[in-house]
Amino acid sequence: MKQMEGKKEVILKTPLSVEEIKFLRAGDKVHLNGVIYVARDLTHQRLIEDLEKGKELPFSFSGSVIYYAGPTPARRGEIIGSIGPTTSSRMDKYLEYFLQKGLRATIGKGERREEVKELLEKYGALYLLACGGAAAYLSTFVVEKEVLDYEDLGAQALLRLKVEQFPLLVAYDAQGGDIFKEGKIKYRNLALYNEY
Amino acid sequence: MKELEFQEIVQQVEKALEELNIISPQLLREKMLEALAAEENDLAREMLSQVMENYVVAEERHLPLCQDTGMVMAKVEKGEEIRIKGGSLRQALDEAIRRAYKNNYFRKSIMSDPFFGKNTGDNTPGVYFFELEEGDELRIDLLVKGGGCDNISSLGILEPGSKPEEVERFVLRELDTKGGQACPPLIVGVGIGGNAPYALYLASRALSRPLGEANPDPRYRELEEKWREDINRLGIGPQGVGGKTTCLEVRIETYPCHIASFPVGLVCSCHVFRQKTLKW
C-alpha cells in the first residue's frame, strides 16, 4: 500500500470482503485482480427474471464485482475487443437486488443517484470508477474471458472476466464518500456558482 | 451534371469510419496533453494519462478507442448538379457502415425498433441529415459518438429576446448536473434559433465540424471562448473526478428565429471525438 496526497493505492483480489472494502475511501486508487462479471442493462433484467424463476446461476454473488460494460467483438485469436465502462446510473434501479445477494462492488462511470450511497453504506459495498473512453487500454488488463449466459444479447451477454491490475478509482466508498462531489467542491469557482 | 460512382462513396466512407474509430486526430491529442499539464488534481491527471495511453493501444492493436462505436451520424451537403451512379446516398452510407463495422469488429449497437425491435446486427442504419445545395459538390461530415454523451442532450425553450448570458446559464445548469456522466472533457455543441427540433439539429451539426474550426463570426467566437472557460470553472474535470478541464471546445450555430420563440439545443461529444469530413 502506497500513501499519496492523503489517498491510498491498494491491490485488491476478488472475491472482496466487507472488512477490506470498508477501509477504502473515495479517491483511493485500486488495482483489481481476479474474477469480475460483465453485465449491463438487459443483462440485469435477464438475471433478475431468471433468479425470480428460481434458476441457479453459474456463480455466487458473495463478494462479487460487476463491471457495467459491453465490449466490442474479439478478433480471431484475441481474448476480447475494447471494453470501457458504460454509464452506471442506468443500473441504479437494479443495485439493491444484487447487494442483497452479496455483491461487493460495481465498476462503471459517472455519478449515480443519491440513494446509491446509502445502499453502499447499508450493505458495505463500493462503486469503482474506470476511465470512460479508454476502452482499448482497459482491454489490456483482461487475461481471460468466458461467455456465461445470454449470448443472444450480443454485446450485453453475461461475461466472466479474469483481470490483472485493472486500474480503478474508488468513486463512492462504504461511508458515504463521493469522489465527484469532493472533486467538484475543490476545483469549482464559487463566484460563478452563485452567479448562475 | 457531374457523376459519382456509388462504390467510390462506399469505399471512402468505410475507410473514414474505420480510421475515426481507431485513430484520434493530432489536434485532440495536443489538447489532451495541454489539459494534462494544466491539471493539479492527481486523479484528473490519472484519467487523462489513461486517455493518452488509450490512443497508443488503439492504434497499435487496431482496436476501437471506445467500446461504444456509436450510431453513425452523417450530415450530407449535396449539390443539385451531382448525381450518384449505381444507388442512392442513403444506401451508400448504410453499406459503408455495414462493411466498416463488420470488418473491423466494431460493436453493433442499433435496435431495429425502440419497442419491438432486435439488434440489426450490422450497426445500420445511421442517422442522416441531407441538405441540398447549389453546384456540383458533395460534402459528408461523419460524426460517431456513444450513448453516454448523447443521453445528456437537452432542449431549452427560452424567452424571446434572451441575452447570451441567459443561454450560457442554461448550458451551465445542464452540464453541471449531467456533464460528469458524458465522459468529459467534452466538445459542446449549442444550436440557437430555428424551431425546437432545428435547434437540436444545429447543435449536432456544430459537432460534426472538424476540431479547431473557428466560428467565422467574431462575436460568436468570443462567446464560444467565454462559455468554454466558464464550463471549465464548474470543476467537474476529466471523468467527473474534479479538475480544470471539463470542456475542450464550445461550438455555436445559429439560425433566424420566430418572434415568439427562442429554442436552444445542447448536444455534446465525449472526449473521444470521432469526426471526419469527406469532399468530392
Side-chain angles (χ1 to χ4, degrees):
Chain A
M1 194 189 83
K2 210 165 65 184
Q3 198 79 30
M4 44 192 299
E5 293 175 27
K7 304 286 185 192
K8 295 187 285 296
E9 188 163 355
V10 300
I11 297 170
L12 290 182
K13 189 174 184 325
T14 62
L16 304 176
S17 70
V18 181
E19 292 68 39
E20 62 187 333
I21 69 111
K22 281 209 164 152
F23 147 89
L24 294 170
R25 294 291 176 273
D28 287 348
K29 290 185 187 177
V30 171
H31 302 274
L32 189 67
N33 294 280
V35 168
I36 62 174
Y37 299 94
V38 177
R40 45 175 293 158
D41 309 68
L42 281 178
T43 334
H44 278 73
Q45 278 187 23
R46 287 272 189 100
L47 274 168
I48 293 173
E49 278 168 27
D50 281 351
L51 287 163
E52 290 302 296
K53 278 187 231 156
K55 185 178 161 183
E56 287 279 327
L57 292 181
F59 67 98
S60 156
F61 276 102
S62 179
S64 65
V65 177
I66 290 183
Y67 183 16
Y68 301 140
T72 59
R75 282 173 186 274
R76 202 181 295 270
E78 299 280 336
I79 299 166
I80 200 161
S82 295
I83 181 161
T86 194
T87 311
S88 307
S89 61
R90 292 198 315 270
M91 266 58 75
D92 288 352
K93 56 182 179 287
Y94 309 116
L95 183 64
E96 187 165 21
Y97 187 90
F98 294 102
L99 287 173
Q100 282 170 348
K101 298 196 178 300
L103 177 70
R104 201 54 65 214
T106 53
I107 302 170
K109 70 171 171 88
E111 283 177 90
R112 312 184 66 163
R113 282 186 214 146
E114 280 298 307
E115 309 93 87
V116 165
K117 282 181 260 181
E118 290 160 28
L119 290 174
L120 298 179
E121 266 190 274
K122 184 176 166 192
Y123 292 95
L126 297 175
Y127 168 40
L128 301 164
L129 175 72
C131 183
Y137 172 68
L138 291 173
S139 76
T140 63
F141 299 89
V142 178
V143 294
E144 274 177 42
K145 182 196 80 178
E146 185 192 345
V147 180
L148 285 184
D149 213 342
Y150 318 134
E151 205 160 3
D152 60 302
L153 294 181
Q156 305 206 58
L158 177 66
L159 308 179
R160 176 188 171 280
L161 301 184
K162 198 169 162 202
V163 293
E164 276 177 9
Q165 300 293 94
F166 197 66
L168 301 164
L169 300 176
V170 177
Y172 298 166
D173 58 37
Q175 282 79 23
D178 174 345
I179 197 179
F180 306 109
K181 204 164 258 180
E182 288 165 21
K184 208 187 237 183
I185 289 169
K186 200 163 165 195
Y187 292 94
R188 195 181 187 88
N189 179 327
L190 286 172
L192 175 86
Y193 185 59
N194 297 332
E195 201 178 297
Y196 99 82
Chain B
M1 185 68 86
K2 193 163 109 181
E3 284 194 336
L4 199 56
E5 290 291 336
F6 178 82
Q7 284 303 337
E8 152 79 5
I9 299 171
V10 174
Q11 279 162 19
Q12 293 293 327
V13 174
E14 181 194 352
K15 187 163 157 276
L17 289 172
E18 175 181 352
E19 281 178 14
L20 62 79
N21 270 302
I22 292 170
I23 303 166
S24 274
Q26 190 54 34
L27 188 57
L28 184 68
R29 294 175 193 230
E30 286 165 19
K31 280 176 186 277
M32 220 58 82
L33 204 57
E34 276 171 35
L36 185 64
E39 285 295 351
E40 290 157 12
N41 183 359
D42 174 48
L43 302 177
R45 280 204 304 271
E46 171 68 29
M47 291 294 103
L48 292 173
S49 304
Q50 290 192 26
V51 166
M52 312 259 333
E53 285 280 344
N54 193 51
Y55 298 149
V56 179
V57 177
E59 201 167 336
E60 275 179 11
R61 299 197 176 197
H62 205 76
L63 280 170
L65 290 148
C66 181
Q67 80 288 342
D68 189 346
T69 44
M71 185 170 206
V72 178
M73 179 187 134
K75 190 206 74 180
V76 180
E77 285 173 24
K78 184 184 167 299
E80 284 170 345
E81 288 156 48
I82 184 167
R83 199 176 77 87
I84 317 301
K85 231 173 80 186
S88 74
L89 259 174
R90 185 180 292 276
Q91 287 166 336
L93 291 165
D94 277 346
E95 181 57 22
I97 294 171
R98 201 169 285 129
R99 290 187 197 174
Y101 278 64
K102 181 174 178 289
N103 295 343
N104 297 289
Y105 294 78
F106 295 158
R107 202 177 81 185
K108 288 82 183 171
S109 313
I110 309 305
M111 303 295 284
S112 61
D113 182 277
F115 290 120
F116 311 111
K118 59 177 207 291
N119 197 304
T120 61
D122 57 11
N123 218 54
T124 65
V127 168
Y128 312 129
F129 296 97
F130 295 100
E131 296 197 2
L132 272 181
E133 306 284 340
E134 284 176 13
D136 63 357
E137 286 172 7
L138 175 68
R139 172 181 166 138
I140 300 177
D141 290 288
L142 296 165
L143 180 73
V144 168
K145 62 194 196 87
C149 59
D150 203 54
N151 288 344
I152 71 159
S153 304
S154 178
L155 176 70
I157 304 294
L158 277 61
E159 296 274 329
S162 287
K163 300 279 176 290
E165 303 83 72
E166 287 157 277
V167 178
E168 186 187 359
R169 264 199 288 276
F170 164 74
V171 171
L172 288 174
R173 261 199 303 268
E174 290 297 314
L175 293 180
D176 197 18
T177 49
K178 303 181 207 156
Q181 293 192 352
C183 283
L186 306 170
I187 319 289
V188 176
V190 187
I192 310 166
N195 57 15
Y198 204 72
L200 281 166
Y201 168 60
L202 289 172
S204 310
R205 197 171 79 173
L207 287 183
S208 74
R209 296 200 310 258
L211 208 61
E213 204 183 87
N215 198 309
D217 185 332
R219 295 168 303 176
Y220 283 107
R221 215 153 50 226
E222 205 174 299
L223 287 178
E224 288 173 345
E225 196 48 33
K226 180 180 187 303
W227 294 3
R228 184 185 64 83
E229 286 171 10
D230 287 346
I231 292 167
N232 284 333
R233 289 196 181 99
L234 288 171
I236 296 169
Q239 296 301 315
V241 299
K244 295 176 171 176
T245 331
T246 304
C247 173
L248 297 173
E249 263 187 35
V250 172
R251 288 131 177 239
I252 302 173
E253 285 215 12
T254 60
Y255 198 78
C257 74
H258 191 278
I259 49 170
S261 53
F262 201 99
V264 179
L266 176 66
V267 181
C268 298
S269 163
C270 63
H271 67 80
V272 191
F273 183 65
R274 288 157 280 178
Q275 187 279 348
K276 285 241 184 241
T277 300
L278 299 170
K279 288 177 189 170
W280 285 272

mmCIF file of all heavy atoms in Angstrom, chain A residues 57-81:
data_model
loop_
_atom_site.group_PDB
_atom_site.id
_atom_site.type_symbol
_atom_site.label_atom_id
_atom_site.label_comp_id
_atom_site.label_asym_id
_atom_site.label_seq_id
_atom_site.Cartn_x
_atom_site.Cartn_y
_atom_site.Cartn_z
ATOM 1 N N LEU A 57 -27.668 -19.837 -10.854
ATOM 2 C CA LEU A 57 -26.665 -19.170 -11.679
ATOM 3 C C LEU A 57 -25.331 -19.891 -11.578
ATOM 4 O O LEU A 57 -25.053 -20.540 -10.579
ATOM 5 C CB LEU A 57 -26.501 -17.720 -11.226
ATOM 6 C CG LEU A 57 -27.704 -16.816 -11.486
ATOM 7 C CD1 LEU A 57 -27.406 -15.410 -11.016
ATOM 8 C CD2 LEU A 57 -28.081 -16.796 -12.962
ATOM 9 N N PRO A 58 -24.518 -19.764 -12.634
ATOM 10 C CA PRO A 58 -23.240 -20.493 -12.622
ATOM 11 C C PRO A 58 -22.165 -19.846 -11.743
ATOM 12 O O PRO A 58 -20.998 -20.161 -11.877
ATOM 13 C CB PRO A 58 -22.828 -20.477 -14.101
ATOM 14 C CG PRO A 58 -23.511 -19.283 -14.676
ATOM 15 C CD PRO A 58 -24.758 -19.057 -13.888
ATOM 16 N N PHE A 59 -22.553 -18.887 -10.897
ATOM 17 C CA PHE A 59 -21.577 -18.291 -9.983
ATOM 18 C C PHE A 59 -22.293 -17.740 -8.760
ATOM 19 O O PHE A 59 -23.509 -17.568 -8.767
ATOM 20 C CB PHE A 59 -20.769 -17.190 -10.684
ATOM 21 C CG PHE A 59 -21.577 -15.974 -11.060
ATOM 22 C CD1 PHE A 59 -21.579 -14.857 -10.256
ATOM 23 C CD2 PHE A 59 -22.331 -15.957 -12.219
ATOM 24 C CE1 PHE A 59 -22.321 -13.728 -10.602
ATOM 25 C CE2 PHE A 59 -23.083 -14.844 -12.574
ATOM 26 C CZ PHE A 59 -23.078 -13.728 -11.765
ATOM 27 N N SER A 60 -21.507 -17.417 -7.711
ATOM 28 C CA SER A 60 -22.090 -16.873 -6.489
ATOM 29 C C SER A 60 -21.867 -15.361 -6.437
ATOM 30 O O SER A 60 -20.821 -14.860 -6.836
ATOM 31 C CB SER A 60 -21.410 -17.534 -5.287
ATOM 32 O OG SER A 60 -21.522 -16.698 -4.165
ATOM 33 N N PHE A 61 -22.875 -14.652 -5.942
ATOM 34 C CA PHE A 61 -22.742 -13.199 -5.840
ATOM 35 C C PHE A 61 -21.923 -12.767 -4.622
ATOM 36 O O PHE A 61 -21.559 -11.612 -4.498
ATOM 37 C CB PHE A 61 -24.123 -12.535 -5.785
ATOM 38 C CG PHE A 61 -24.703 -12.313 -7.146
ATOM 39 C CD1 PHE A 61 -25.685 -13.148 -7.649
ATOM 40 C CD2 PHE A 61 -24.243 -11.259 -7.933
ATOM 41 C CE1 PHE A 61 -26.200 -12.939 -8.917
ATOM 42 C CE2 PHE A 61 -24.757 -11.048 -9.192
ATOM 43 C CZ PHE A 61 -25.743 -11.895 -9.687
ATOM 44 N N SER A 62 -21.663 -13.711 -3.725
ATOM 45 C CA SER A 62 -20.976 -13.359 -2.489
ATOM 46 C C SER A 62 -19.570 -12.805 -2.756
ATOM 47 O O SER A 62 -18.716 -13.500 -3.309
ATOM 48 C CB SER A 62 -20.900 -14.602 -1.594
ATOM 49 O OG SER A 62 -20.229 -14.257 -0.422
ATOM 50 N N GLY A 63 -19.352 -11.537 -2.400
ATOM 51 C CA GLY A 63 -18.042 -10.908 -2.597
ATOM 52 C C GLY A 63 -17.736 -10.554 -4.040
ATOM 53 O O GLY A 63 -16.602 -10.221 -4.382
ATOM 54 N N SER A 64 -18.771 -10.603 -4.901
ATOM 55 C CA SER A 64 -18.532 -10.442 -6.340
ATOM 56 C C SER A 64 -18.442 -8.982 -6.773
ATOM 57 O O SER A 64 -18.804 -8.061 -6.046
ATOM 58 C CB SER A 64 -19.638 -11.140 -7.121
ATOM 59 O OG SER A 64 -20.869 -10.488 -6.875
ATOM 60 N N VAL A 65 -17.942 -8.808 -7.996
ATOM 61 C CA VAL A 65 -17.806 -7.483 -8.604
ATOM 62 C C VAL A 65 -18.484 -7.521 -9.974
ATOM 63 O O VAL A 65 -18.233 -8.424 -10.773
ATOM 64 C CB VAL A 65 -16.316 -7.108 -8.788
ATOM 65 C CG1 VAL A 65 -16.175 -5.757 -9.477
ATOM 66 C CG2 VAL A 65 -15.591 -7.099 -7.449
ATOM 67 N N ILE A 66 -19.354 -6.541 -10.242
ATOM 68 C CA ILE A 66 -19.977 -6.425 -11.569
ATOM 69 C C ILE A 66 -19.397 -5.222 -12.289
ATOM 70 O O ILE A 66 -19.285 -4.131 -11.730
ATOM 71 C CB ILE A 66 -21.519 -6.302 -11.472
ATOM 72 C CG1 ILE A 66 -22.147 -7.621 -11.014
ATOM 73 C CG2 ILE A 66 -22.113 -5.890 -12.826
ATOM 74 C CD1 ILE A 66 -23.665 -7.612 -10.965
ATOM 75 N N TYR A 67 -19.021 -5.450 -13.541
ATOM 76 C CA TYR A 67 -18.489 -4.394 -14.404
ATOM 77 C C TYR A 67 -19.578 -4.025 -15.396
ATOM 78 O O TYR A 67 -20.016 -4.873 -16.177
ATOM 79 C CB TYR A 67 -17.236 -4.930 -15.111
ATOM 80 C CG TYR A 67 -16.491 -3.962 -16.006
ATOM 81 C CD1 TYR A 67 -16.687 -2.580 -15.946
ATOM 82 C CD2 TYR A 67 -15.551 -4.432 -16.913
ATOM 83 C CE1 TYR A 67 -15.979 -1.713 -16.769
ATOM 84 C CE2 TYR A 67 -14.825 -3.574 -17.743
ATOM 85 C CZ TYR A 67 -15.052 -2.216 -17.660
ATOM 86 O OH TYR A 67 -14.342 -1.366 -18.475
ATOM 87 N N TYR A 68 -20.048 -2.768 -15.345
ATOM 88 C CA TYR A 68 -21.057 -2.291 -16.286
ATOM 89 C C TYR A 68 -20.373 -1.984 -17.618
ATOM 90 O O TYR A 68 -19.734 -0.940 -17.767
ATOM 91 C CB TYR A 68 -21.726 -1.018 -15.766
ATOM 92 C CG TYR A 68 -22.422 -1.143 -14.429
ATOM 93 C CD1 TYR A 68 -22.343 -0.120 -13.488
ATOM 94 C CD2 TYR A 68 -23.197 -2.256 -14.121
ATOM 95 C CE1 TYR A 68 -23.001 -0.210 -12.264
ATOM 96 C CE2 TYR A 68 -23.849 -2.362 -12.904
ATOM 97 C CZ TYR A 68 -23.744 -1.335 -11.975
ATOM 98 O OH TYR A 68 -24.391 -1.427 -10.775
ATOM 99 N N ALA A 69 -20.494 -2.898 -18.564
ATOM 100 C CA ALA A 69 -19.797 -2.708 -19.837
ATOM 101 C C ALA A 69 -20.395 -3.584 -20.926
ATOM 102 O O ALA A 69 -21.105 -4.551 -20.644
ATOM 103 C CB ALA A 69 -18.314 -3.038 -19.671
ATOM 104 N N GLY A 70 -20.109 -3.239 -22.151
ATOM 105 C CA GLY A 70 -20.500 -4.037 -23.319
ATOM 106 C C GLY A 70 -19.377 -3.956 -24.329
ATOM 107 O O GLY A 70 -19.253 -2.966 -25.040
ATOM 108 N N PRO A 71 -18.508 -4.982 -24.379
ATOM 109 C CA PRO A 71 -17.301 -4.896 -25.200
ATOM 110 C C PRO A 71 -17.567 -4.977 -26.704
ATOM 111 O O PRO A 71 -18.642 -5.404 -27.130
ATOM 112 C CB PRO A 71 -16.499 -6.121 -24.754
ATOM 113 C CG PRO A 71 -17.533 -7.102 -24.303
ATOM 114 C CD PRO A 71 -18.640 -6.283 -23.716
ATOM 115 N N THR A 72 -16.558 -4.614 -27.487
ATOM 116 C CA THR A 72 -16.627 -4.862 -28.931
ATOM 117 C C THR A 72 -16.224 -6.327 -29.153
ATOM 118 O O THR A 72 -15.562 -6.923 -28.297
ATOM 119 C CB THR A 72 -15.669 -3.937 -29.720
ATOM 120 O OG1 THR A 72 -14.324 -4.151 -29.276
ATOM 121 C CG2 THR A 72 -16.032 -2.477 -29.520
ATOM 122 N N PRO A 73 -16.634 -6.916 -30.287
ATOM 123 C CA PRO A 73 -16.286 -8.332 -30.521
ATOM 124 C C PRO A 73 -14.777 -8.532 -30.598
ATOM 125 O O PRO A 73 -14.052 -7.644 -31.038
ATOM 126 C CB PRO A 73 -16.926 -8.627 -31.885
ATOM 127 C CG PRO A 73 -17.867 -7.505 -32.172
ATOM 128 C CD PRO A 73 -17.388 -6.322 -31.404
ATOM 129 N N ALA A 74 -14.332 -9.712 -30.167
ATOM 130 C CA ALA A 74 -12.904 -10.040 -30.220
ATOM 131 C C ALA A 74 -12.528 -10.456 -31.635
ATOM 132 O O ALA A 74 -13.299 -11.139 -32.307
ATOM 133 C CB ALA A 74 -12.592 -11.159 -29.247
ATOM 134 N N ARG A 75 -11.363 -10.044 -32.080
ATOM 135 C CA ARG A 75 -10.839 -10.571 -33.334
ATOM 136 C C ARG A 75 -10.401 -12.013 -33.100
ATOM 137 O O ARG A 75 -10.139 -12.401 -31.975
ATOM 138 C CB ARG A 75 -9.603 -9.770 -33.765
ATOM 139 C CG ARG A 75 -9.941 -8.459 -34.384
ATOM 140 C CD ARG A 75 -8.680 -7.655 -34.613
ATOM 141 N NE ARG A 75 -9.060 -6.333 -35.082
ATOM 142 C CZ ARG A 75 -9.286 -6.045 -36.367
ATOM 143 N NH1 ARG A 75 -9.133 -6.972 -37.303
ATOM 144 N NH2 ARG A 75 -9.658 -4.843 -36.723
ATOM 145 N N ARG A 76 -10.260 -12.755 -34.202
ATOM 146 C CA ARG A 76 -9.828 -14.147 -34.088
ATOM 147 C C ARG A 76 -8.488 -14.208 -33.336
ATOM 148 O O ARG A 76 -7.569 -13.457 -33.648
ATOM 149 C CB ARG A 76 -9.654 -14.729 -35.493
ATOM 150 C CG ARG A 76 -9.725 -16.222 -35.571
ATOM 151 C CD ARG A 76 -9.503 -16.677 -36.999
ATOM 152 N NE ARG A 76 -10.582 -16.223 -37.884
ATOM 153 C CZ ARG A 76 -11.692 -16.935 -38.120
ATOM 154 N NH1 ARG A 76 -11.863 -18.099 -37.554
ATOM 155 N NH2 ARG A 76 -12.617 -16.480 -38.929
ATOM 156 N N GLY A 77 -8.429 -15.048 -32.332
ATOM 157 C CA GLY A 77 -7.173 -15.211 -31.590
ATOM 158 C C GLY A 77 -6.988 -14.228 -30.444
ATOM 159 O O GLY A 77 -6.061 -14.352 -29.665
ATOM 160 N N GLU A 78 -7.874 -13.225 -30.356
ATOM 161 C CA GLU A 78 -7.773 -12.259 -29.260
ATOM 162 C C GLU A 78 -8.730 -12.664 -28.135
ATOM 163 O O GLU A 78 -9.723 -13.361 -28.376
ATOM 164 C CB GLU A 78 -8.160 -10.856 -29.741
ATOM 165 C CG GLU A 78 -7.285 -10.302 -30.849
ATOM 166 C CD GLU A 78 -5.972 -9.725 -30.346
ATOM 167 O OE1 GLU A 78 -5.914 -9.341 -29.162
ATOM 168 O OE2 GLU A 78 -5.003 -9.686 -31.139
ATOM 169 N N ILE A 79 -8.442 -12.198 -26.912
ATOM 170 C CA ILE A 79 -9.296 -12.529 -25.776
ATOM 171 C C ILE A 79 -10.601 -11.731 -25.845
ATOM 172 O O ILE A 79 -11.694 -12.253 -25.674
ATOM 173 C CB ILE A 79 -8.576 -12.216 -24.440
ATOM 174 C CG1 ILE A 79 -7.302 -13.047 -24.322
ATOM 175 C CG2 ILE A 79 -9.500 -12.471 -23.240
ATOM 176 C CD1 ILE A 79 -6.363 -12.589 -23.221
ATOM 177 N N ILE A 80 -10.473 -10.455 -26.113
ATOM 178 C CA ILE A 80 -11.628 -9.560 -26.072
ATOM 179 C C ILE A 80 -11.343 -8.336 -26.944
ATOM 180 O O ILE A 80 -10.191 -8.073 -27.291
ATOM 181 C CB ILE A 80 -11.923 -9.159 -24.595
ATOM 182 C CG1 ILE A 80 -13.348 -8.643 -24.421
ATOM 183 C CG2 ILE A 80 -10.876 -8.153 -24.060
ATOM 184 C CD1 ILE A 80 -13.834 -8.661 -22.975
ATOM 185 N N GLY A 81 -12.403 -7.590 -27.303
ATOM 186 C CA GLY A 81 -12.203 -6.327 -28.017
ATOM 187 C C GLY A 81 -12.002 -5.216 -27.001
ATOM 188 O O GLY A 81 -11.517 -5.447 -25.899
#
